Amino acid sequence: MKLAVSVYLTLCFASSIIMVMATIQRARFLLGTNDYYVRVINGFTDNSSVPLVIWCSSEEIDLGGRALQEHDDFSWVMRPSFWSSNRMKCTMKWDTTRKSFEAFKASRDTERCGIHRMCSWMVTQDGFYFSNDEVNWRKDFLW
């Protein structure tokens, strides 16, 4: 009998937590406070003959691919939730060079994207730069 009561209380507690988390996510959705704006910019200075190709997808959605000429960008909105993977992975290809990276990862980006929730990437010949204001860029990694 004690085991049955213990299991029942555990299930009730777990259900309560799930309901609270779902309610919080729904409130954020309704208030529009959970959107993150992700943007990848082609920052190459001379790639007019060879575009920068980008393809982005997550476990839930495939955003498809684009060929970005100089200063073109590819952008989307991420809405992290308890129910999704909360990450978007992109593969970049320039000429014969290829690099995959996480353009958005909620556990990493919810703080670093800043109060405006702007998560911008500039891809250049020498690497991948991140900014949350598109003024101050910090090199995150090389090709």
Side-chain angles (χ1 to χ4, degrees):
M1 182 69 176
K2 287 183 181 180
L3 179 61
V5 170
S6 178
V7 169
Y8 175 76
L9 291 175
T10 302
L11 289 174
C12 287
F13 180 70
S15 297
S16 297
I17 289 176
I18 290 171
M19 288 174 41
V20 167
M21 291 175 80
T23 302
I24 290 170
Q25 288 299 327
R26 182 72 176 153
R28 285 183 178 167
F29 175 75
L30 292 174
L31 297 173
T33 61
N34 208 26
D35 290 350
Y36 288 83
Y37 304 94
V38 185
R39 183 175 183 215
V40 180
I41 304 164
N42 179 349
F44 279 75
T45 55
D46 183 24
N47 74 321
S48 55
S49 61
V50 180
L52 180 65
V53 177
I54 181 172
W55 191 285
C56 299
S57 63
S58 70
E59 291 178 10
E60 295 80 25
I61 189 169
D62 186 342
L63 297 178
R66 308 279 190 282
L68 305 178
Q69 296 298 330
E70 290 178 37
H71 309 293
D72 282 350
D73 70 283
F74 183 33
S75 57
W76 63 92
V77 174
M78 291 293 296
R79 187 172 288 128
S81 76
F82 176 73
W83 312 109
S84 70
S85 67
N86 298 316
R87 58 179 62 190
M88 183 66 67
K89 184 177 181 179
C90 295
T91 299
M92 309 296 294
K93 183 179 178 290
W94 177 64
D95 202 15
T96 60
T97 307
R98 186 180 299 255
K99 177 79 172 183
S100 292
F101 74 106
E102 289 182 317
F104 183 81
K105 181 178 177 185
S107 62
R108 175 193 68 196
D109 294 332
T110 51
E111 292 298 320
R112 84 173 185 164
C113 290
I115 60 172
H116 300 294
R117 298 177 184 224
M118 184 184 298
C119 315
S120 298
W121 293 92
M122 184 175 303
V123 182
T124 68
Q125 292 92 329
D126 70 326
F128 292 66
Y129 293 79
F130 179 83
S131 175
N132 62 14
D133 60 8
E134 296 190 0
V135 174
N136 302 299
W137 296 92
R138 180 180 52 87
K139 186 185 263 186
D140 248 29
F141 49 90
L142 300 170
W143 272 92

